[in-house]
Amino acid sequence: MAQARVVVLGAGVAGHTAASFLKKWLGAKAEVTVVSPRPDYNWIPSNIWVGVGLLQPRQVLFPLAPVYARHGITFRQARALVLHPEGAGEDPQPFVEIESTLPGEEGQRSRLPYDFLLNATGPKLNFDATPGLGPGGHSYSVCTAPHAKVAADAFLELVERMRRGERKRFVVGTGHGTCTCQGAAFEYVVNLEFELRARGVRDKAEIVYLTNEYEVGDFGMDAVHIRRGGYVTPSKVFTESLFAERGVDWVTRAHVQGLEPGRATFETLDGAEHDIAFDMAMLLPPFKGVGLQAMDRLGADITARLFAPSGFMKVDGDYTPKAYEAFRSADWPRTYQNPDYPNLFAAGIAFAPPHPISRPRQSPKGTPITPAPPRTGMPSAMIAKAVAHSITDMIQGSPGPTRTASMAEMGAACVASAGNNPFTGTAASMTVYPIVPDYERYPDYGRDLRHTFGEIGLAGHWIKILLHHMFLHKARLRPFWSLIPE
Amino acid sequence: MVEERLHYTPSSVPQVRTAFFATLPTGPTRWRRTSLVWQMVRFAIINLKMIRVISLSHHAGRKIRS
Ligand SMILES: Cc1cc2nc3c(=O)[nH]c(=O)nc-3n(C[C@H](O)[C@H](O)[C@H](O)COP(=O)(O)OP(=O)(O)OC[C@H]3O[C@@H](n4cnc5c(N)ncnc54)[C@H](O)[C@@H]3O)c2cc1C
């Protein structure tokens, strides 16, 4: 085969991991092109510390172009718009239509032909789902480094006012009934509390955690159960304990309906409506797909065939609508190959999950109030690496994908920061196995309790710091990067 | 702080839940969380536990047999 063209859309955890391994394994056998609208790589987990003013954005960002240039990867600073998996008209060559975001060339469109394409475009931060939500409205976000910096500026200004004796209320959590990524909101609220203490103004602050989870500690994973002290204890107990100890109050089962300056209105699962005043709110947006479209050879729109209504791409999962009780862990994708187009894959947040992990619930008014399934960094990277392996093997002659990475067969290790200080900081270290509960293998809790554990302490914080440096080293593709596990 | 919060009357929102019904750590538990020697031991143990789950997961990313 002549040099194969592999196009990776997105340069986040999934896209960057896949592109790096594809180039390492294929070398001159393939031209690997990464398309991403932003010039930088962002180590997103450390945005939490940017959001409380402990880190500057430049400490969690680095420019991608020089890294890719050094490693023979082509970088196009552009946004992917339309997939043409059958080519166009008489020409069967698949291509993707992209739009440049490079300063000076903004808006210029071009076609990028491919033999294999990996969609790793992550989420669209859907602030529009809730009126007034987000940095363009009346709340803050830590989902990107620039968002986190704006949140930090507001936070530090309030700290100054509290030093002058004013009392303030902080509301942190999820800005819609269908949000995911509660882990990030959890980390932000406990870090914010820690920083208020460190800055000597904790007594001037009221902190409320506002979440769409049925119970705190659900994390979109239908909670985690841990064997400890003669009991099997749900994560709710540990999370409530953490909040109680820190004087953080919490509101669960909430769908934020809208925000106006200093006030959020929300509906709870019982159908009641409430409002809460705040001086600063950091509320995460719900996620949806980034809005890629698809067209067939004749120019007909086939977006609905390739993408779920959420905008995430369909892969080899079982998307048949079923009752929650009828879902099986085997429904989850294994190879991440699109069923219609074998040279099309999706990894990380960009693939469509076949069903929620947490039990779906709605209020009497029909408002869904239930976390969407999370796809955190470790599974995103592991899926991307498995897909890179499959594409490598297919380029070298394998008839189909050669690797699997089902979230129902893999575990996740996760460290949630609860305060950043080398001696007094803490973090919650957790492992779950598997991520998607498998009630056929583990009838009681869906998970293997021997490999599911959690504890909070300073050691977790040291691990978090280690991970920050290790993963940035890996992402910069510095010596021995490929030896660092995902 | 904790004692003060236990008696704290939350804002006007009745859904707000506070410390009273939550499990709270005792003094020794809190002390262990930031005790340098104990946490060095935990650092090693947590890493081992994580490596075990990571290796189980890499096993999941296995080769499809043809
Ligand atoms: C504040 C915060 C803290 C977190 N903390 C943790 C943590 O501690 N541990 C953990 O495991 N996970 C954490 N996560 C989750 C983790 O960040 C995600 O799991 C991970 O980023 C998903 O990777 P991804 O590559 O799928 O998406 P992203 O990392 O979001 O990458 C998507 C990429 O696609 C690009 N893109 C977007 N649109 C287009 C387009 N049209 N064309 C081409 N490219 C496009 C984007 O610019 C980006 O480069 C956190 C998330 C947040 C928000």
Side-chain angles (χ1 to χ4, degrees), chain A residues 409-474:
Chain A
E409 290 168 11
M410 71 166 84
C414 182
V415 186
S417 168
N420 182 341
N421 181 288
F423 301 108
T424 59
T426 52
S429 312
M430 272 172 58
T431 61
V432 285
Y433 183 84
I435 301 171
V436 175
D438 182 343
Y439 286 98
E440 282 160 28
R441 278 174 75 192
Y442 310 108
D444 290 337
Y445 300 100
R447 299 203 173 92
D448 186 339
L449 296 196
R450 288 170 308 168
H451 303 303
T452 299
F453 102 107
E455 72 172 66
I456 180 156
L458 179 58
H461 176 64
W462 293 336
I463 296 173
K464 188 89 183 166
I465 293 286
L466 204 68
L467 293 180
H468 169 92
H469 292 292
M470 252 168 54
F471 285 132
L472 274 169
H473 179 96
K474 180 173 178 167

Coordinates of all heavy atoms in Angstrom, one line a residue, chain A residues 409-474:
Chain A
E409 N -15.2 -3.7 30.2 CA -14.2 -4.7 30.5 C -12.9 -4.0 31.1 O -12.0 -4.7 31.5 CB -13.8 -5.5 29.3 CG -14.9 -6.4 28.8 CD -14.6 -6.9 27.4 OE1 -13.5 -6.7 26.9 OE2 -15.5 -7.5 26.8
M410 N -12.9 -2.7 31.2 CA -11.8 -2.0 31.7 C -12.2 -1.3 33.0 O -13.3 -0.9 33.2 CB -11.2 -1.1 30.7 CG -12.0 0.2 30.5 SD -11.1 1.5 29.6 CE -11.3 1.0 27.9
G411 N -11.1 -1.1 33.8 CA -11.4 -0.3 35.1 C -10.9 1.1 34.9 O -10.4 1.5 33.8
A412 N -11.0 1.9 35.9 CA -10.5 3.3 35.8 C -9.8 3.6 37.2 O -10.3 3.2 38.2 CB -11.6 4.3 35.5
A413 N -8.7 4.3 37.1 CA -8.1 4.8 38.3 C -8.3 6.3 38.2 O -8.1 6.9 37.1 CB -6.6 4.4 38.3
C414 N -8.7 6.9 39.3 CA -9.0 8.3 39.2 C -8.5 9.0 40.5 O -8.7 8.4 41.6 CB -10.5 8.4 39.1 SG -11.1 10.1 38.9
V415 N -8.0 10.1 40.4 CA -7.5 10.9 41.6 C -8.2 12.2 41.6 O -8.0 13.0 40.7 CB -6.0 11.0 41.7 CG1 -5.6 11.7 43.0 CG2 -5.3 9.7 41.5
A416 N -9.1 12.5 42.6 CA -9.8 13.8 42.6 C -9.2 14.6 43.7 O -9.2 14.3 44.9 CB -11.3 13.5 42.9
S417 N -8.6 15.8 43.3 CA -8.0 16.7 44.2 C -9.0 17.2 45.2 O -10.1 17.6 44.9 CB -7.3 17.8 43.4 OG -6.9 18.8 44.3
A418 N -8.5 17.3 46.5 CA -9.4 17.9 47.5 C -8.6 19.0 48.2 O -9.0 19.4 49.3 CB -9.9 16.9 48.5
G419 N -7.6 19.5 47.6 CA -6.8 20.6 48.2 C -5.4 20.5 47.8 O -4.8 19.4 47.9
N420 N -4.8 21.6 47.3 CA -3.4 21.5 46.8 C -2.4 22.1 47.7 O -2.2 23.3 47.8 CB -3.5 22.3 45.4 CG -2.1 22.2 44.7 OD1 -1.1 21.9 45.3 ND2 -2.2 22.5 43.4
N421 N -1.7 21.2 48.4 CA -0.6 21.7 49.3 C 0.2 20.4 49.6 O -0.3 19.4 49.9 CB -1.1 22.2 50.6 CG 0.0 22.7 51.5 OD1 0.7 21.9 52.1 ND2 0.1 24.0 51.6
P422 N 1.6 20.5 49.4 CA 2.4 19.3 49.6 C 2.4 18.6 51.0 O 2.7 17.5 51.1 CB 3.8 19.8 49.2 CG 3.8 21.3 49.3 CD 2.4 21.7 49.1
F423 N 1.9 19.4 52.0 CA 1.8 18.8 53.3 C 0.4 18.7 53.9 O 0.2 17.8 54.7 CB 2.7 19.6 54.3 CG 4.2 19.6 53.8 CD1 4.7 20.8 53.3 CD2 5.0 18.5 53.9 CE1 6.0 20.8 52.9 CE2 6.3 18.5 53.4 CZ 6.8 19.7 52.9
T424 N -0.4 19.6 53.5 CA -1.8 19.6 54.1 C -2.9 19.3 53.1 O -4.0 19.2 53.4 CB -2.1 20.9 54.8 OG1 -2.0 22.0 53.7 CG2 -1.2 21.3 55.9
G425 N -2.5 19.2 51.8 CA -3.4 18.9 50.8 C -3.9 17.4 50.8 O -3.3 16.6 51.5
T426 N -5.0 17.1 50.2 CA -5.5 15.7 50.1 C -6.1 15.5 48.8 O -6.4 16.5 48.0 CB -6.5 15.4 51.2 OG1 -7.6 16.4 51.1 CG2 -6.0 15.3 52.6
A427 N -6.3 14.2 48.4 CA -7.1 13.9 47.2 C -7.7 12.5 47.5 O -7.2 11.7 48.2 CB -6.1 13.8 46.0
A428 N -8.8 12.3 46.8 CA -9.5 11.1 46.9 C -9.0 10.2 45.8 O -9.1 10.6 44.6 CB -11.0 11.3 46.8
S429 N -8.4 9.1 46.1 CA -7.9 8.1 45.1 C -8.9 7.0 45.0 O -9.4 6.5 46.0 CB -6.6 7.5 45.5 OG -5.7 8.5 46.0
M430 N -9.3 6.7 43.7 CA -10.3 5.7 43.5 C -9.9 4.8 42.4 O -9.3 5.2 41.4 CB -11.6 6.4 43.0 CG -12.5 6.9 44.1 SD -13.8 7.9 43.4 CE -14.6 6.7 42.3
T431 N -10.3 3.5 42.5 CA -10.3 2.6 41.4 C -11.7 2.0 41.3 O -12.3 1.7 42.3 CB -9.2 1.5 41.5 OG1 -9.5 0.7 42.6 CG2 -7.8 2.1 41.6
V432 N -12.1 1.8 40.1 CA -13.4 1.0 39.8 C -13.1 0.0 38.8 O -12.4 0.2 37.8 CB -14.6 1.9 39.4 CG1 -15.2 2.7 40.5 CG2 -14.2 2.7 38.2
Y433 N -13.7 -1.2 38.9 CA -13.5 -2.2 37.9 C -14.8 -3.1 37.9 O -15.1 -3.7 38.9 CB -12.3 -3.1 38.2 CG -12.1 -4.1 37.2 CD1 -11.4 -3.8 36.0 CD2 -12.6 -5.4 37.3 CE1 -11.2 -4.7 35.1 CE2 -12.4 -6.3 36.3 CZ -11.7 -6.0 35.2 OH -11.5 -6.9 34.2
P434 N -15.4 -3.2 36.7 CA -15.2 -2.4 35.5 C -15.9 -1.0 35.6 O -16.7 -0.8 36.6 CB -15.8 -3.2 34.4 CG -16.9 -4.1 35.1 CD -16.5 -4.2 36.5
I435 N -15.7 -0.2 34.6 CA -16.4 1.2 34.7 C -17.9 1.0 34.5 O -18.7 1.5 35.3 CB -15.8 2.1 33.6 CG1 -14.3 2.2 33.7 CG2 -16.5 3.4 33.6 CD1 -13.6 2.9 32.6
V436 N -18.3 0.3 33.5 CA -19.7 0.0 33.2 C -20.0 -1.2 34.0 O -19.4 -2.3 33.8 CB -20.0 -0.2 31.7 CG1 -21.4 -0.6 31.5 CG2 -19.6 1.0 30.9
P437 N -21.0 -1.1 35.0 CA -21.3 -2.3 35.8 C -21.7 -3.5 35.0 O -22.4 -3.4 34.0 CB -22.5 -1.8 36.7 CG -22.5 -0.3 36.6 CD -21.8 0.0 35.3
D438 N -21.2 -4.7 35.4 CA -21.6 -5.9 34.7 C -22.3 -6.8 35.7 O -21.7 -7.5 36.5 CB -20.3 -6.6 34.2 CG -20.6 -7.8 33.4 OD1 -21.7 -8.4 33.6 OD2 -19.6 -8.3 32.7
Y439 N -23.6 -6.7 35.7 CA -24.4 -7.5 36.7 C -24.5 -9.0 36.4 O -24.9 -9.7 37.2 CB -25.8 -6.9 36.8 CG -25.8 -5.5 37.5 CD1 -25.8 -4.3 36.9 CD2 -25.7 -5.5 38.9 CE1 -25.7 -3.1 37.5 CE2 -25.6 -4.3 39.6 CZ -25.6 -3.1 38.9 OH -25.5 -1.9 39.6
E440 N -24.0 -9.4 35.2 CA -24.0 -10.8 35.0 C -22.8 -11.4 35.7 O -22.9 -12.5 36.3 CB -23.9 -11.1 33.4 CG -25.3 -10.9 32.8 CD -25.2 -10.7 31.3 OE1 -24.3 -11.2 30.7 OE2 -26.2 -10.1 30.8
R441 N -21.7 -10.7 35.6 CA -20.5 -11.2 36.3 C -20.5 -10.9 37.8 O -20.0 -11.7 38.6 CB -19.2 -10.7 35.7 CG -18.8 -11.4 34.4 CD -17.7 -10.7 33.7 NE -16.4 -10.9 34.4 CZ -15.3 -10.2 34.1 NH1 -15.3 -9.3 33.2 NH2 -14.2 -10.5 34.7
Y442 N -21.0 -9.7 38.2 CA -21.0 -9.3 39.6 C -22.4 -8.9 40.0 O -22.7 -7.7 40.0 CB -20.0 -8.1 39.7 CG -18.7 -8.3 39.0 CD1 -18.3 -7.7 37.9 CD2 -17.7 -9.2 39.6 CE1 -17.1 -7.9 37.3 CE2 -16.5 -9.4 39.0 CZ -16.2 -8.8 37.8 OH -15.0 -9.0 37.2
P443 N -23.2 -9.9 40.3 CA -24.6 -9.6 40.5 C -25.0 -8.6 41.6 O -26.0 -7.9 41.4 CB -25.2 -11.0 40.8 CG -24.1 -12.0 40.5 CD -22.8 -11.3 40.5
D444 N -24.2 -8.5 42.6 CA -24.6 -7.6 43.7 C -24.4 -6.1 43.4 O -25.4 -5.4 43.5 CB -23.7 -7.9 44.9 CG -24.1 -9.3 45.5 OD1 -25.3 -9.7 45.2 OD2 -23.3 -9.9 46.2
Y445 N -23.3 -5.7 42.9 CA -23.0 -4.3 42.7 C -22.6 -4.0 41.3 O -22.3 -2.9 41.0 CB -21.9 -3.8 43.7 CG -22.3 -4.0 45.1 CD1 -21.9 -5.1 45.9 CD2 -23.3 -3.1 45.7 CE1 -22.3 -5.3 47.2 CE2 -23.7 -3.3 47.0 CZ -23.2 -4.4 47.7 OH -23.7 -4.6 49.0
G446 N -22.4 -5.0 40.5 CA -22.0 -4.8 39.1 C -20.5 -4.7 38.9 O -20.0 -4.5 37.8
R447 N -19.8 -4.6 40.1 CA -18.4 -4.4 40.0 C -17.7 -5.4 40.9 O -18.2 -5.9 41.9 CB -18.0 -2.9 40.4 CG -18.7 -1.9 39.5 CD -17.9 -0.6 39.5 NE -18.5 0.3 38.4 CZ -19.5 1.2 38.6 NH1 -20.0 1.3 39.8 NH2 -19.9 1.9 37.7
D448 N -16.4 -5.6 40.6 CA -15.6 -6.5 41.4 C -15.0 -5.7 42.6 O -14.2 -4.8 42.4 CB -14.4 -7.0 40.5 CG -13.6 -8.0 41.2 OD1 -13.6 -8.1 42.5 OD2 -12.9 -8.8 40.5
L449 N -15.5 -6.0 43.8 CA -15.2 -5.1 44.9 C -13.7 -5.3 45.3 O -13.2 -4.5 46.1 CB -16.1 -5.4 46.1 CG -17.6 -5.1 45.9 CD1 -18.3 -5.1 47.2 CD2 -17.8 -3.8 45.2
R450 N -13.1 -6.4 44.8 CA -11.6 -6.5 45.1 C -10.8 -5.4 44.5 O -9.7 -5.1 44.9 CB -11.1 -7.9 44.7 CG -11.6 -9.0 45.5 CD -11.3 -10.3 44.8 NE -11.7 -10.3 43.4 CZ -11.3 -11.2 42.5 NH1 -10.5 -12.1 42.8 NH2 -11.8 -11.1 41.3
H451 N -11.3 -4.9 43.3 CA -10.5 -3.9 42.6 C -11.2 -2.6 42.6 O -10.8 -1.7 41.9 CB -10.4 -4.4 41.1 CG -9.7 -5.7 41.0 ND1 -8.5 -6.0 41.5 CD2 -10.1 -6.9 40.5 CE1 -8.1 -7.2 41.3 NE2 -9.1 -7.8 40.7
T452 N -12.2 -2.4 43.4 CA -12.9 -1.1 43.5 C -12.6 -0.6 44.9 O -13.0 -1.2 45.9 CB -14.4 -1.3 43.3 OG1 -14.6 -1.8 42.0 CG2 -15.2 0.0 43.4
F453 N -11.9 0.5 45.0 CA -11.6 1.0 46.3 C -11.5 2.6 46.3 O -11.5 3.2 45.2 CB -10.3 0.4 46.8 CG -9.1 1.3 46.7 CD1 -8.5 1.9 47.8 CD2 -8.5 1.6 45.5 CE1 -7.4 2.7 47.7 CE2 -7.4 2.4 45.3 CZ -6.9 3.0 46.5
G454 N -11.4 3.2 47.4 CA -11.3 4.6 47.5 C -10.8 5.0 48.8 O -11.1 4.4 49.8
E455 N -9.9 6.0 48.9 CA -9.5 6.6 50.2 C -9.1 8.0 50.0 O -8.7 8.4 48.8 CB -8.4 5.8 50.8 CG -7.1 5.9 50.2 CD -6.0 5.1 51.0 OE1 -6.1 3.9 51.1 OE2 -5.1 5.8 51.6
I456 N -9.1 8.8 51.0 CA -8.7 10.2 50.9 C -7.4 10.4 51.7 O -7.3 9.9 52.8 CB -9.8 11.2 51.3 CG1 -9.3 12.6 51.1 CG2 -10.4 10.9 52.6 CD1 -10.4 13.6 50.9
G457 N -6.5 11.2 51.2 CA -5.3 11.5 52.0 C -4.3 12.2 51.2 O -4.5 12.5 50.0
L458 N -3.2 12.6 51.9 CA -2.1 13.4 51.3 C -1.5 12.6 50.2 O -1.1 13.1 49.1 CB -1.1 13.7 52.4 CG 0.1 14.5 52.0 CD1 -0.2 15.8 51.3 CD2 1.0 14.7 53.2
A459 N -1.4 11.2 50.3 CA -0.7 10.4 49.3 C -1.4 10.6 47.9 O -0.8 10.7 46.9 CB -0.8 8.9 49.7
G460 N -2.8 10.7 48.0 CA -3.5 11.0 46.7 C -3.1 12.3 46.1 O -3.0 12.4 44.9
H461 N -2.8 13.3 46.9 CA -2.4 14.6 46.3 C -1.0 14.4 45.7 O -0.8 15.0 44.6 CB -2.4 15.7 47.4 CG -1.8 17.0 46.9 ND1 -2.5 17.7 45.9 CD2 -0.7 17.6 47.2 CE1 -1.7 18.7 45.6 NE2 -0.7 18.7 46.4
W462 N -0.1 13.7 46.3 CA 1.2 13.5 45.7 C 1.0 12.8 44.4 O 1.7 13.1 43.4 CB 2.1 12.6 46.6 CG 2.5 13.3 47.9 CD1 2.5 14.6 48.2 CD2 2.9 12.6 49.1 NE1 2.9 14.9 49.5 CE2 3.1 13.7 50.1 CE3 3.0 11.3 49.5 CZ2 3.6 13.4 51.4 CZ3 3.4 11.0 50.8 CH2 3.7 12.1 51.7
I463 N 0.1 11.8 44.3 CA -0.1 11.1 43.1 C -0.7 12.0 42.0 O -0.3 12.0 40.8 CB -1.1 9.9 43.3 CG1 -0.4 8.9 44.2 CG2 -1.4 9.2 41.9 CD1 -1.3 7.7 44.6
K464 N -1.6 12.9 42.4 CA -2.2 13.9 41.5 C -1.1 14.8 40.9 O -1.1 15.1 39.7 CB -3.2 14.7 42.2 CG -4.0 15.6 41.4 CD -5.3 15.0 40.8 CE -6.0 15.9 39.9 NZ -7.1 15.2 39.2
I465 N -0.1 15.2 41.7 CA 1.0 16.1 41.3 C 1.8 15.3 40.3 O 2.2 15.8 39.2 CB 1.8 16.6 42.5 CG1 1.0 17.5 43.3 CG2 3.1 17.2 42.0 CD1 0.8 18.9 42.8
L466 N 2.1 14.0 40.6 CA 2.9 13.2 39.8 C 2.3 13.0 38.4 O 2.9 13.1 37.4 CB 3.0 11.8 40.5 CG 4.2 10.9 40.2 CD1 5.5 11.6 40.7 CD2 4.1 9.5 40.8
L467 N 0.9 12.8 38.5 CA 0.2 12.6 37.2 C 0.2 13.8 36.3 O 0.4 13.7 35.1 CB -1.3 12.2 37.5 CG -1.5 10.8 38.2 CD1 -3.0 10.6 38.4 CD2 -0.9 9.7 37.3
H468 N 0.1 15.0 37.0 CA 0.2 16.3 36.2 C 1.5 16.3 35.4 O 1.4 16.6 34.2 CB 0.1 17.4 37.2 CG 0.4 18.8 36.7 ND1 -0.6 19.6 36.1 CD2 1.6 19.4 36.5 CE1 0.0 20.7 35.7 NE2 1.3 20.6 35.9
H469 N 2.6 16.0 36.1 CA 3.9 16.2 35.4 C 4.1 15.0 34.4 O 4.6 15.2 33.3 CB 5.0 16.2 36.4 CG 5.0 17.5 37.2 ND1 5.2 18.7 36.7 CD2 4.7 17.7 38.5 CE1 5.1 19.7 37.6 NE2 4.7 19.1 38.7
M470 N 3.7 13.8 34.8 CA 3.9 12.6 34.0 C 3.1 12.8 32.7 O 3.6 12.5 31.6 CB 3.4 11.4 34.7 CG 4.5 10.5 35.1 SD 3.9 9.2 36.2 CE 2.6 8.5 35.4
F471 N 1.8 13.2 32.8 CA 1.0 13.2 31.6 C 1.3 14.4 30.7 O 1.2 14.3 29.5 CB -0.5 13.2 32.0 CG -1.0 11.8 32.4 CD1 -1.7 11.7 33.5 CD2 -0.6 10.7 31.7 CE1 -2.1 10.4 34.0 CE2 -1.0 9.5 32.0 CZ -1.8 9.3 33.2
L472 N 1.8 15.5 31.3 CA 2.3 16.6 30.4 C 3.6 16.2 29.7 O 3.8 16.5 28.5 CB 2.5 17.9 31.2 CG 1.2 18.7 31.4 CD1 1.4 19.8 32.4 CD2 0.8 19.3 30.1
H473 N 4.5 15.4 30.4 CA 5.7 14.9 29.8 C 5.3 14.0 28.6 O 5.8 14.1 27.5 CB 6.5 14.1 30.8 CG 7.7 13.5 30.3 ND1 9.0 14.1 30.4 CD2 7.9 12.4 29.6 CE1 9.9 13.4 29.8 NE2 9.3 12.3 29.4
K474 N 4.3 13.1 28.9 CA 3.9 12.2 27.8 C 3.3 13.0 26.7 O 3.6 12.7 25.5 CB 2.9 11.2 28.4 CG 2.3 10.2 27.4 CD 1.5 9.2 28.1 CE 1.0 8.3 27.0 NZ 0.4 7.1 27.5

